[in-house]
């Protein structure tokens, strides 16, 4: 059982498959709608907008993104449990990002991870993550535990503003690495990652879970699994380098020397 109250719950994915493809976008909407507890209620082209959910209107917007100069961000929302907001960028730097209410009942976690898995199979991203964030430690940090919690949160937070500068930072509770990164790490290295459950995907990616049900890991077990797995993968020099400043409770990330950042595609 979970031993903490989540600070944040996120599902994020970035990839090169064009999101202005009507068939692909329709498939993504079909997947989300197929879960009654996750079916969207509203949509908008603005973060604070709220129009009644209408898939035909959404698809018409998607089809209108025809060149690299045309960009749209589509927002989907649900106010009922399970409450969330989704940001879908239909543009050269394409991504899908769910942010769930941190008060989400943990009974929904298995379905949430399943939903993410089905979306990934359709989108086939370069990288994706599913993570239930533990609260960040108070400052100043009092122990190595605080440092590790901060590092795990930094690694799992897959935001375009950072990603397109430094690349992927590390593992989340569940991480998907598409063929773009499998080639950089090496399939054998990824599949042999200790303290994880790894699975080769039909589309050529690899899924790495910190355990069979990673959201059930105790804090100490999560730290142990994450550290061991990261020590195995860091020598490939694909994950961003993390420089930890304990005195100022800060982490600076720089792009790793063997990393070629994925996710670019001018539609």
């Amino acid at each position: 059982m979970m031993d903490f109250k989540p600070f944040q719950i996120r599902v994020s994915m970035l990839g090169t498959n064009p999101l202005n493809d009507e068939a692909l976008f329709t498939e993504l909407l079909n997947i989300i709608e197929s879960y009654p507890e996750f079916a969207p209620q509203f949509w908008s082209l603005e973060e604070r907008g709220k129009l009644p959910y209408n898939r035909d209107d959404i698809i018409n917007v998607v089809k209108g993104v025809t060149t690299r100069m045309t960009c749209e961000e589509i927002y989907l929302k649900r106010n009922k449990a399970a409450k969330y907001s989704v940001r879908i960028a239909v543009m050269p730097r394409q991504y899908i990002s769910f942010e769930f209410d941190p008060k989400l009942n943990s009974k929904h976690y298995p379905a949430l991870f399943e939903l993410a898995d089905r979306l990934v199979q359709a989108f086939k991203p370069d990288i994706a993550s599913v993570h239930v964030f533990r609260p960040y430690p108070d400052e100043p940090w009092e122990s190595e535990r605080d440092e590790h919690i901060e590092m795990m949160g930094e690694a799992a937070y897959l935001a375009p503003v950072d990603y397109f500068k430094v690349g992927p930072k590390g593992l989340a509770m569940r991480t998907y690495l598409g063929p773009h990164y499998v080639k950089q790490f090496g399939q054998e290295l990824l599949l042999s990652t200790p303290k994880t459950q790894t699975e080769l995907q039909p589309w050529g990616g690899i899924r790495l879970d910190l355990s069979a049900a990673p959201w059930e890991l105790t804090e100490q077990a999560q730290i142990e699994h994450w550290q061991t797995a990261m020590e195995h993968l860091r020598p490939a020099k694909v994950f961003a380098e993390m420089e930890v400043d304990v005195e100022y409770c800060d982490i600076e990330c720089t792009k790793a020397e063997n990393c070629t950042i994925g996710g670019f595609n001018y539609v």
Side-chain angles (χ1 to χ4, degrees):
M1 298 294 292
M2 180 168 295
D3 63 340
F4 66 100
K5 292 183 179 180
F7 164 71
Q8 197 175 55
I9 304 170
R10 293 179 65 92
V11 176
S12 304
M13 53 192 77
L14 300 101
T16 52
N17 284 328
L19 283 173
N20 67 334
D21 181 278
E22 181 180 357
L24 172 58
F25 211 98
T26 298
E27 183 178 3
L28 295 174
L29 293 180
N30 286 342
I31 292 169
I32 299 172
E33 291 174 11
S34 71
Y35 290 82
E37 65 269 52
F38 300 133
Q41 292 179 277
F42 308 101
W43 83 284
S44 179
L45 295 177
E46 299 177 355
E47 186 173 3
R48 296 186 178 181
K50 187 182 289 186
L51 300 171
Y53 179 72
N54 185 312
R55 62 183 294 145
D56 292 335
D57 289 346
I58 295 170
I59 294 299
N60 284 334
V61 171
V62 168
K63 291 191 295 185
V65 181
T66 56
T67 71
R68 61 180 293 177
M69 300 303 294
T70 322
C71 302
E72 292 288 1
E73 289 189 332
I74 295 171
Y75 294 86
L76 306 180
K77 296 180 181 179
R78 180 180 173 89
N79 284 349
K80 298 178 182 177
K83 185 178 179 180
Y84 65 74
S85 176
V86 185
R87 183 182 181 189
I88 305 175
V90 186
M91 55 177 61
R93 296 182 176 185
Q94 298 155 122
Y95 60 91
I96 303 170
S97 180
F98 285 74
E99 185 167 344
F100 286 83
D101 187 334
K103 296 178 182 178
L104 178 71
N105 193 311
S106 59
K107 71 179 183 180
H108 293 299
Y109 288 176
L112 187 157
F113 275 69
E114 180 185 289
L115 168 67
D117 197 67
R118 290 184 59 192
L119 291 172
V120 163
Q121 305 307 315
F123 184 38
K124 303 175 180 62
D126 290 318
I127 187 167
S129 66
V130 188
H131 198 75
V132 181
F133 288 79
R134 295 176 181 271
Y136 286 103
D138 294 332
E139 298 180 5
W141 296 341
E142 296 182 352
S143 65
E144 285 190 359
R145 172 264 180 198
D146 290 353
E147 180 181 336
H148 295 149
I149 293 294
E150 194 84 15
M151 291 176 70
M152 288 194 302
E154 184 74 22
Y157 193 78
L158 190 58
V161 65
D162 294 324
Y163 171 78
F164 287 110
K165 292 179 182 177
V166 303
K169 300 175 185 177
L171 297 176
M173 284 184 173
R174 170 174 289 177
T175 308
Y176 296 86
L177 297 171
H180 178 82
Y181 286 115
V182 171
K183 183 177 180 181
Q184 294 177 53
F185 279 100
Q187 185 179 112
E188 183 177 346
L189 179 72
L190 290 170
L191 292 176
S192 62
T193 304
K195 295 290 186 179
T196 66
Q197 291 203 349
T198 61
E199 182 179 303
L200 185 62
Q201 305 290 287
W203 48 279
I206 290 178
R207 188 180 78 193
L208 299 94
D209 287 352
L210 293 184
S211 74
W215 59 90
E216 293 181 353
L217 286 172
T218 65
E219 180 180 280
Q220 186 55 45
Q222 184 181 350
I223 290 173
E224 178 188 346
H225 286 219
W226 186 84
Q227 279 188 299
T228 302
M230 289 295 292
E231 286 172 4
H232 174 79
L233 295 173
R234 276 199 181 102
K237 296 185 178 181
V238 179
F239 283 143
E241 301 290 337
M242 285 191 183
E243 183 177 341
V244 181
D245 188 327
V246 176
E247 181 180 359
Y248 290 96
C249 303
D250 187 42
I251 297 176
E252 291 291 334
C253 295
T254 55
K255 183 174 171 291
E257 63 179 270
N258 293 335
C259 177
T260 301
I261 299 174
F264 295 96
N265 185 37
Y266 289 89
V267 295

